[in-house]
Amino acid sequence: MNNALGKLDRPNSYIGRSVTRPNAKRLLAGKGRYVTDMKLPRMLHAAFVRSPYAHAKIMSIDISAAAAMPGVHLVATGADLAKLCKPWVGTLDHFRGMKSSPQLPLAIDKVVWAGQAVVAVVAQSRALAEDAAELVEVAYEELGVVTDIDLARQEGSEIINPDLGTNLSFTLKVESGDVEAAFKDGAVEIEDVFHFGRHTAVTLEPRAIIADYNSSEEQLTVHHATQTPYQFQDLYSRYYGIAESRVRVVAPDIGGSFGMKLHVYHEDMAVVGLSMLTGRPVKYVADRMESFLSDIHARDHRVTSSMTADASGNILGMKVDDVTAIGAFSSFPRTSVVEGNQVVRLMGAPYRFRNYRGDLSVVFQNKVQTSQYRAVGHPIACSVTESLIDGIGRRLGLDPFEIRRRNIITQDMYPYTSPTGYKFERLSHEVCLDKLHAEMDYPRLLKQQEELRAKGVYRGIGIAMFVEITNPSPAFYGVGGARISSQDGAIVKITPSGEVQCLVSIGEHGQGTETIIGQIVAENLGVDRETVRVITGDTDVTPYGGANWACRGAGIGGETAFQAAKKLKQNVLAVAAAILQAKPSDLDIQNAQIVDAGTGNIRIALSEVARISYFRSDTLPDDVSPQLTVAHHYSPKGYPFAFTNGVQGCHVEVDVETGFVRLIDVWVVEDCGRIINPMLVNEQVRGGAIQGLGAALFEECRYGETGQLENGSLADYLVPMAYEMPDIKIFHVETPTRDTELGAKGCGEAGTAAASAAAMNAVNDAIAPLGAHVSQIPMTPQRLLRALGKV
Amino acid sequence: MNERVPIELEVNGEAVAKYVEPRLSLADFLREELELTGTHQGCEMGACGACLVLLNGKAVHSCLMFAVQAHGDHVETVEGLSQRKAIADIQQAFHNNNALQCGFCTAGMLVTAHELLSRNTTPTRHEIRDGLSGNYCRCTGYQAIVDSIVSVARSRAGNVDTPASPGERGTAS
Amino acid sequence: MKARAFKYFRTQSLEDALQAFDRAGGEGCYLAGGQSLVPSLSLRLQAPELLIDISRIESLTGISRSGNVLRVGALTRHAEMLTSPEIARHAPLLRRAAPFVAHPAIRNMGTFGGTIALADPSAEFPAMTLAMDAEFEIASLAGTRTTKADGFFRGLFETGLQPGEILTAINIPCFGNADRCVFDELARRRGDYALVGAGVQGNFAQDLVSTIRIAFLSVGSTPLRARHAEAAITGRALSADAISDAQAALGDDLDPEDNEETSATMRMHLARVLLGRLLGRLSQPDCMRQDEVT
């Protein structure tokens, strides 16, 4: 590895090391502090009356019995909150022509999905609030329900948002090269229709929020289990008309997020208003049933796609038609069309064909909103591409590794611009593919597969290459008018005892943000990482920044801290040089001692420099003014995104009598650029892969024709559990980005991006001898048995 | 019907006497009344395992019983187990292996691991995964949790693994 | 998800419990392990005025053998099915089914009597009482009575228990030397309710089936015995032909629910596959030894 900074034998060299997470000890002792755990003085609890119908007019609401119940402090309707909160619209300018209707915290005239919040009840306890909610009477008149993506677009269909006049939110065409000519020239063509189930994040800690409005100071404090505190500061300020400086959002320990905890939720917006109306802190924790009904869902795509290649297996072109349904509104502030946008742009990303056409249609329906959840769009683009390329290979008698080798973008081709407009700085497809081939011992697996097939045992091997979007620049949201920051900030200071405090705008949700920032700062300053305290998640304290989404914590937040620490080191050395009457360039810091850069001899302790700076600055020359606190902000300026890549392998056994799939082995080879902490990267990749495997085999929000979610509980919505999941073998290739000094890219979505694709290819490989094929996830026993012609 | 009834029980070795509404779950009692918030709730229907505590030494879902049912019983939570160092080696192994991310499932995982290792001192990976089958973790992918329990079992049996220095877990494992 | 308010009554006396139910005038509900009842209350699917906690009634506990009958107290926890030597020896079908019952912590609290009284068609143990030809002891203010498992499960969550009656114990004919039993199920994930599950217990004379009882779960509104399948193999050796006849006969035995996610056709198919595999295992004379519990 060509690693200029991470030489592991230097003192205080932490970048590249698997160090443990200091903050995990607190969590292990049961001393985490999540919003769900918090109690404030005089705090009240909210519960919501929800629509039982997917589409209905609200005819009347009678709150009298609920309001009269002892212990109830407030029963608020949509009209009550509309007096305080401005409506929001989930569109962005750069998605041209996109439509969505205004939204308010609670429904007023009509409900558009089953589970939508209609009335809020605030009481002394959650149980009492639920008691009172049962007494609220809402009369509805049912409307036609739109669930099917084709019927939704037909002439004469029920229109969910009459103000828009259509159930089509957005369409997009991405075209490059001459697709029709490519298909005419192709020797072989594969077409398929793929279905991707709706699924959802299922963070173990549900959404949780406490809003505390203090009218005497017009100050709003929100304790919020969110990934993006500053985004919510901005939104609460603007939509409730409170000065930005008087809105404080605090995100303490958070029980999982995965992209789900950065969207505006109707209940969360309502809770702010409820606190303003009651003048007391109001807490709302979505229970699990409410999570399924109101958290954003994701995926839900139907993709018709074809790929063509010449007789040697060189892919010539690809056509994609993606229809995705997003619920009744586009979510806010990031919209619900980003996933579709990424689907049509990530198609074929590892390969070098030039002729491409992608059509996207984004459709409204009477279900809860979809939006960004881990690996937005990636699993869909990857599954479609990787399934079709396998199909081409099968048709031409080319092994899955071979067909990919013939088509990947090679080292001599960078920088490379994809037909969909993505700019790749440098990826490492060949190395990753070869590594996977070796590590999975592919020849052995093939041999074993053949032997077992003779005994009626059907095993399959699947591989899937992926490209992941990380480190987004303002091109992602800012350009569309969203007040979502693509920059991050870090404040690093030396304390009077010579310890280090670092405040960063990126947040900690268990992925290890505080740990890697501690590693980066400690290494760049030259101190023991145990002495670096990292503070996150409080808009009154931490610097302004975009925080955690789209895999930007390490790449952007990490670079920010990297540069801040470097600046601070220069400031420390300037003071030390004045004290020692030396030149700063002759000094260095090691183990919190100022040393001679050349010899390493200790000159003065960092703590002594700090003591003099803070308490005896009178002893310093007049022109020396110690600056032992440094703030630094950074936003990507070079490539609009830092793309990462990798390849996954999956080995399965299909019980062809029952349709059950057993995961035997999973391999991931990934390249996320500079690795700051291999153990934490591995954990991100593993956890991500498991979410992809859950999607492949288990997870799906199932709706009936009337728009009711039929499996909205943890007993019915099947998340991946320990017994069914395999050990995952992870291997790394490191291609640092040159856009930053740190060189890190993101790794949070790599696991999810290709796991379902590899699993689907593996299952199809297993059942191919029986003439069966599936193009739908999750691959349930029933779907497999149907594919096998058994039922 | 909201009237409170007296209960007396032992929680983490301390005698507790309180008046509670019969409908208060043991989980809510521990969290709200005793402020033992190490016990979490992820589903309130016994499907996620975040709320596991020991009831008279056995792992149970504190969301699947009412506090009144625990009258006269001994309840132990992650705070109590930590305090008396009953799971110190498991916690250390979890820390070394990074067998937790957000930490919300962790108390339940620790209670399951503690009980599993008390029933079966030499569990296989398969048995560990079976034992964990009711504990949901969305972050880790479970492998590091299984690794941790394996390493505790080995070290308790006297076969002190050179605990994989995290660095070595960096590449393949 | 908080339960509606209720009153709570705990007693160590069976008589007091029965009387409390009687006094509640139809608004009472017994609480034993609570592993199904409590979530149902939290979801407000049920809202009794009075919960009568019977979990500390001594006479409902314990496992004992008398002659050829094993008496299993209704409060026996599921976890004990995995650890009790009496169960392993005299009611091995319960031992074999127990690892499939939910998850370890649920098994620590859930009771044998509770799961039978609830009669969830997807639960393992109620169906196994059919396969074992068990008999239920039932107490009421009028006295005690017994009834066979056959005929007890009448409809979805409906049993032969009259309001106020308490299932006190389950009597199981002891497993004999010439008996064999097997259990398996097809569940999406470990501990989930199965798509289909079955237990088979038979008595063999050499390799011929003398008597056999096949009980299914998750294929109808109640736990079900597959009597036609039983008849198809009684008196025969478990040859491939015999097994195939039993599989075919299931069509007359089972009435699986039909829905989008799990069609009736699929459940029937899976039931046939499962039965074939179970009978294949049962046909091995040493199946009780090699049938290692997982």
Side-chain angles (χ1 to χ4, degrees):
Chain A
M1 181 175 86
N2 174 20
N3 189 341
L5 6 116
K7 287 226 179 90
L8 294 177
D9 52 352
R10 279 178 35 239
N12 313 124
S13 61
Y14 297 109
I15 295 173
R17 262 192 216 282
S18 285
V19 298
T20 54
R21 287 164 49 208
N23 56 7
K25 285 193 170 168
R26 184 181 78 243
L27 305 178
L28 278 159
K31 292 180 192 296
R33 185 139 174 87
Y34 303 85
V35 175
T36 36
D37 299 336
M38 294 173 69
K39 263 192 216 174
L40 298 183
R42 302 179 70 237
M43 186 172 83
L44 299 171
H45 298 263
F48 292 88
V49 178
R50 295 177 182 280
S51 166
Y53 301 111
H55 199 193
K57 272 192 218 165
I58 297 173
M59 307 307 287
S60 64
I61 298 175
D62 181 357
I63 62 164
S64 53
M69 215 188 86
V72 171
H73 286 250
L74 174 70
V75 181
T77 64
D80 297 331
L81 288 174
K83 289 173 196 156
L84 297 174
C85 182
K86 283 185 228 158
W88 61 87
V89 180
T91 57
L92 285 172
D93 299 344
H94 64 313
F95 297 123
R96 272 193 206 121
M98 186 191 166
K99 298 185 180 74
S100 183
S101 286
Q103 302 176 57
L104 281 164
L106 300 174
I108 296 182
D109 301 325
K110 63 183 276 190
V111 288
V112 290
W113 83 87
Q116 186 178 6
V118 178
V119 176
V121 179
V122 183
Q124 273 164 6
S125 71
R126 170 71 185 226
L128 283 174
E130 288 187 23
D131 292 346
E134 288 191 316
L135 301 179
V136 173
E137 291 189 17
V138 185
Y140 297 95
E141 187 180 295
E142 287 185 69
L143 297 166
V145 175
V146 180
T147 53
D148 185 88
I149 52 174
D150 294 319
L151 294 180
R153 294 178 294 165
Q154 270 176 19
E155 194 77 20
S157 163
E158 180 83 26
I159 300 291
I160 299 169
N161 302 292
D163 54 321
L164 306 179
T166 172
N167 287 329
L168 198 57
S169 171
F170 180 60
T171 59
L172 175 70
K173 185 183 282 295
V174 178
E175 192 154 16
S176 181
D178 188 342
V179 188
E180 294 308 331
F183 275 81
K184 212 177 290 167
D185 296 346
V188 36
E189 180 182 330
I190 295 280
E191 185 180 23
D192 207 345
V193 182
F194 299 85
H195 295 267
F196 298 89
R198 237 182 198 249
H199 46 111
T200 184
V202 202
T203 58
L204 187 52
E205 185 193 30
R207 281 163 34 226
I209 184 168
I210 302 170
D212 181 9
Y213 183 72
N214 179 344
S215 60
S216 57
E217 291 181 315
E218 293 177 358
Q219 163 83 33
L220 174 71
T221 305
V222 183
H223 302 272
H224 195 173
T226 177
Q227 300 167 239
T228 51
Y230 276 105
Q231 174 196 298
F232 281 101
Q233 180 196 43
D234 173 73
L235 294 172
Y236 296 142
S237 160
R238 287 191 294 124
Y239 286 83
Y240 275 99
I242 306 166
E244 188 177 63
S245 60
R246 291 184 184 264
V247 178
R248 177 184 182 194
V249 178
V250 187
D253 290 324
I254 294 170
S257 47
F258 315 115
M260 187 275 282
K261 291 179 180 168
L262 45 62
H263 308 287
V264 167
Y265 291 99
H266 300 85
E267 297 85 353
D268 299 1
M269 279 301 248
V271 165
V272 171
L274 298 175
S275 177
M276 294 172 82
L277 289 170
T278 54
R280 290 172 64 164
V282 177
K283 179 175 188 175
Y284 171 68
V285 177
D287 66 33
R288 185 55 61 191
M289 313 302 279
E290 293 179 292
S291 298
F292 279 107
L293 291 173
S294 62
D295 289 358
I296 56 107
H297 293 176
R299 320 303 188 224
D300 204 353
H301 292 248
R302 183 187 67 198
V303 182
T304 309
S305 183
S306 49
M307 186 180 270
T308 185
D310 67 18
S312 312
N314 297 303
I315 301 167
L316 301 176
M318 186 178 186
K319 290 190 247 187
V320 172
D321 181 31
D322 178 19
V323 185
T324 178
I326 58 165
F329 299 115
S330 166
S331 75
F332 183 69
R334 288 156 195 265
T335 83
S336 302
V337 308
V338 171
E339 177 148 281
N341 183 54
Q342 291 191 180
V343 166
V344 295
R345 290 183 194 278
L346 278 166
M347 285 286 177
Y351 307 109
R352 58 175 174 241
F353 64 89
R354 301 304 308 168
N355 304 303
Y356 176 78
R357 183 167 69 230
D359 283 293
L360 169 68
S361 303
V362 180
V363 179
F364 293 120
Q365 58 179 173
N366 289 117
K367 296 181 186 174
V368 72
Q369 285 151 296
T370 68
S371 198
Q372 284 76 299
Y373 155 66
R374 193 174 203 165
V376 185
H378 294 67
I380 294 153
C382 181
S383 296
V384 170
T385 306
E386 296 300 300
S387 174
L388 291 178
I389 199 168
D390 266 9
I392 298 269
R394 215 173 280 131
R395 192 75 71 79
L396 294 172
L398 291 170
D399 177 88
F401 279 93
E402 183 53 33
I403 182 80
R404 285 169 174 79
R405 274 194 198 104
R406 292 186 185 188
N407 286 285
I408 46 184
I409 303 162
T410 49
Q411 286 304 304
D412 53 340
M413 297 172 76
Y414 297 105
Y416 182 89
T417 302
S418 80
T420 65
Y422 283 147
K423 293 186 173 64
F424 304 138
E425 179 191 5
R426 179 161 297 276
L427 303 172
S428 56
H429 295 307
E430 305 107 297
V431 188
C432 289
L433 197 58
D434 288 347
K435 205 172 183 84
L436 178 69
H437 192 274
E439 296 293 352
M440 76 199 291
D441 197 351
Y442 189 64
R444 180 186 61 85
L445 291 183
L446 285 179
K447 184 158 172 285
Q448 183 196 52
Q449 179 183 48
E450 200 180 316
E451 289 164 6
L452 287 170
R453 268 182 195 163
K455 297 178 190 162
V457 175
Y458 292 87
R459 289 197 174 177
I461 309 150
I463 63 173
M465 308 199 69
F466 65 90
V467 168
E468 184 201 337
I469 302 172
T470 79
N471 292 9
S473 74
F476 208 48
Y477 289 114
V479 73
R483 295 168 69 88
I484 297 169
S485 185
S486 61
Q487 64 82 49
D488 271 295
I491 295 169
V492 191
K493 74 178 176 213
I494 308 289
T495 71
S497 308
E499 296 171 3
V500 181
Q501 191 190 58
C502 179
L503 302 107
V504 287
S505 57
I506 53 171
E508 169 69 59
H509 317 137
Q511 76 279 56
T513 293
E514 293 178 7
T515 306
I516 62 161
I517 294 298
Q519 291 176 257
I520 291 167
V521 168
E523 171 153 339
N524 279 288
L525 271 176
V527 301
D528 188 321
R529 77 178 185 106
E530 301 287 327
T531 67
V532 180
R533 171 130 173 85
V534 181
I535 293 165
T536 59
D538 183 343
T539 60
D540 263 10
V541 175
T542 51
Y544 201 93
N548 300 64
W549 45 274
C551 273
R552 56 193 302 291
I556 299 176
E559 177 71 8
T560 311
F562 189 101
Q563 297 301 339
K566 273 179 69 180
K567 267 200 223 172
L568 179 58
K569 182 176 181 179
Q570 293 315 310
N571 291 2
V572 169
L573 292 181
V575 181
I579 296 169
L580 299 168
Q581 300 189 333
K583 280 202 291 196
S585 56
D586 292 340
L587 300 173
D588 195 3
I589 311 178
Q590 286 177 6
N591 294 320
Q593 304 286 341
I594 315 302
V595 300
D596 277 327
T599 64
N601 289 339
I602 294 175
R603 298 293 304 276
I604 185 173
L606 176 61
S607 58
E608 185 60 9
V609 175
R611 185 191 67 82
I612 293 167
S613 298
Y614 287 119
F615 306 121
R616 293 304 307 273
S617 52
D618 56 314
T619 65
L620 294 171
D622 286 348
D623 60 342
V624 174
S625 168
Q627 301 293 320
L628 300 193
T629 299
V630 149
H632 185 80
H633 289 263
Y634 167 75
S635 175
K637 277 248 163 66
Y639 286 86
F641 306 97
F643 287 93
T644 73
N645 69 286
V647 59
Q648 297 198 21
C650 186
H651 190 208
V652 303
E653 184 173 310
V654 179
D655 181 334
V656 297
E657 292 295 317
T658 64
F660 277 56
V661 177
R662 181 166 69 90
L663 296 164
I664 302 168
D665 269 309
V666 170
W667 300 263
V668 182
V669 182
E670 68 78 46
D671 181 349
C672 63
R674 173 88 58 232
I675 293 176
I676 301 163
N677 185 324
M679 177 169 74
L680 297 185
V681 169
N682 287 354
E683 278 306 304
Q684 281 303 300
V685 172
R686 282 208 176 89
I690 296 291
Q691 289 189 15
L693 295 171
L697 296 176
F698 297 114
E699 296 183 46
E700 185 168 32
C701 299
R702 286 188 282 109
Y703 282 83
E705 281 174 12
T706 57
Q708 301 291 333
L709 180 60
E710 292 178 340
N711 61 337
S713 85
L714 256 184
D716 300 307
Y717 179 95
L718 307 184
V719 289
M721 300 293 278
Y723 190 79
E724 289 73 30
M725 290 297 119
D727 285 344
I728 296 175
K729 300 177 180 71
I730 297 169
F731 307 91
H732 302 289
V733 174
E734 282 188 74
T735 310
T737 171
R738 291 179 191 171
D739 265 4
T740 65
E741 204 167 341
L742 178 61
K745 311 179 197 171
C747 68
E749 333 215 31
T752 311
S756 21
M760 191 160 83
N761 283 350
V763 166
N764 280 327
D765 184 48
I767 62 179
L770 301 169
H773 188 84
V774 289
S775 313
Q776 179 169 19
I777 60 167
M779 297 176 283
T780 63
Q782 177 158 292
R783 286 172 186 155
L784 278 171
L785 288 172
R786 284 184 178 156
L788 288 158
K790 302 273 184 187
V791 298
Chain B
M1 296 240 283
N2 293 340
E3 71 208 46
R4 293 172 173 239
V5 298
I7 56 167
E8 289 181 24
L9 66 163
E10 192 187 280
V11 179
N12 296 332
E14 285 179 36
V16 172
K18 289 265 184 187
Y19 282 82
V20 298
E21 269 192 74
R23 65 160 149 177
L24 186 70
S25 73
L26 178 62
D28 281 338
F29 173 73
L30 294 169
R31 290 173 48 78
E32 305 283 332
E33 303 280 325
L34 305 184
E35 302 190 325
L36 292 165
T37 52
T39 299
H40 298 143
Q41 296 193 84
C43 71
E44 296 180 87
M45 62 188 299
C48 78
C51 71
L52 294 184
V53 299
L54 294 178
L55 179 75
N56 304 322
K58 293 200 169 140
V60 302
H61 292 89
S62 59
C63 75
L64 289 189
M65 63 185 291
F66 298 108
V68 285
Q69 289 174 265
H71 177 74
D73 288 336
H74 300 271
V75 174
E76 197 165 29
T77 68
V78 67
E79 289 93 341
L81 286 165
S82 300
Q83 187 92 31
R84 70 174 173 96
K85 304 209 179 333
I87 53 171
D89 54 352
I90 308 177
Q91 287 165 315
Q92 188 59 53
F94 270 53
H95 191 236
N96 291 346
N97 291 307
N98 203 44
L100 69 156
Q101 287 182 32
C102 79
F104 208 75
C105 72
T106 306
M109 291 289 179
L110 292 169
V111 169
T112 295
H114 172 72
E115 194 192 48
L116 174 71
L117 288 168
S118 67
R119 263 188 293 122
N120 180 353
T121 54
T122 53
T124 61
R125 290 184 81 79
H126 182 79
E127 287 167 337
I128 292 169
R129 286 185 178 274
D130 191 11
L132 293 170
S133 65
N135 288 82
Y136 174 48
C137 168
R138 191 55 147 177
C139 302
T140 64
Y142 304 104
Q143 188 170 337
I145 297 170
V146 178
D147 291 344
S148 302
I149 297 173
V150 168
S151 80
V152 171
R154 285 202 192 139
S155 72
R156 283 187 185 179
N159 305 323
V160 184
D161 263 355
T162 9
S165 106
E168 286 155 15
R169 291 183 65 255
T171 38
S173 49
Chain C
M1 254 180 91
K2 309 293 176 195
R4 282 193 206 131
F6 54 80
K7 290 199 169 105
Y8 172 81
F9 175 67
R10 176 179 46 237
T11 176
Q12 295 179 327
S13 145
L14 182 60
E15 182 69 18
D16 285 357
L18 293 167
Q19 279 179 359
F21 189 97
D22 192 47
R23 277 197 307 274
E27 296 298 330
C29 181
Y30 294 120
L31 169 65
Q35 301 300 281
S36 298
L37 177 60
V38 175
S40 164
L41 296 174
S42 297
L43 288 161
R44 301 192 174 207
L45 300 173
Q46 267 177 286
E49 278 178 17
L50 175 69
L51 275 194
I52 303 157
D53 186 344
I54 59 171
S55 68
R56 303 192 190 208
I57 300 175
E58 194 65 33
S59 62
L60 306 189
T61 64
I63 300 171
S64 60
R65 187 166 67 100
S66 143
N68 200 30
V69 172
L70 188 71
R71 185 181 187 277
V72 182
L75 286 175
T76 302
R77 310 280 176 179
H78 301 329
E80 290 175 66
M81 303 300 179
L82 288 165
T83 53
S84 158
E86 298 283 296
I87 293 287
R89 188 160 162 212
H90 302 300
L93 188 55
L94 293 177
R95 171 71 184 79
R96 277 157 178 70
F100 296 89
V101 178
H103 306 289
I106 304 270
R107 296 198 290 263
N108 282 339
M109 277 297 276
T111 66
F112 192 40
T115 186
I116 292 165
L118 180 65
D120 189 319
S122 302
E124 287 80 4
F125 288 149
M128 294 313 98
T129 63
L130 291 172
M132 296 184 302
D133 195 16
E135 177 192 83
F136 303 142
E137 285 180 26
I138 293 164
S140 69
L141 285 173
T144 59
R145 65 182 180 101
T146 59
T147 186
K148 285 282 198 180
D150 279 327
F152 180 78
F153 303 106
R154 298 186 177 172
L156 188 61
F157 297 109
E158 244 186 78
T159 68
L161 283 173
Q162 296 304 307
E165 285 189 325
I166 293 176
L167 174 61
T168 53
I170 296 85
N171 294 320
I172 300 165
C174 286
F175 196 74
N177 288 335
D179 291 347
R180 300 177 197 169
C181 70
V182 285
F183 178 90
D184 204 356
E185 66 177 38
L186 294 166
R188 298 288 304 279
R189 301 174 307 175
R190 185 69 160 176
D192 281 352
Y193 283 126
L195 294 174
V196 56
V200 184
Q201 183 159 321
N203 181 270
F204 285 72
Q206 310 301 335
D207 280 338
L208 297 185
V209 175
S210 308
T211 61
I212 194 156
R213 297 171 75 91
I214 303 171
F216 274 91
L217 47 117
S218 294
V219 282
S221 56
T222 65
L224 281 175
R225 256 185 84 187
R227 291 172 191 271
H228 292 89
E230 292 169 5
I233 45 176
T234 303
R236 299 171 69 181
L238 288 177
S239 62
D241 281 351
I243 292 174
S244 155
D245 289 346
Q247 288 173 305
L250 278 185
D252 295 326
D253 287 319
L254 310 180
D255 180 22
E257 182 194 357
D258 191 45
N259 60 45
E260 181 103 356
E261 174 72 359
T262 47
S263 67
T265 319
M266 177 180 76
R267 282 202 206 250
M268 185 61 82
H269 167 80
L270 292 178
R272 288 190 166 120
V273 170
L274 184 67
L275 182 62
R277 291 178 181 181
L278 286 171
L279 293 179
R281 271 159 63 188
L282 204 69
S283 71
Q284 306 296 314
D286 60 348
C287 79
M288 294 309 293
R289 256 177 296 139
Q290 64 171 225
D291 194 16
E292 191 49 43
V293 172
T294 51

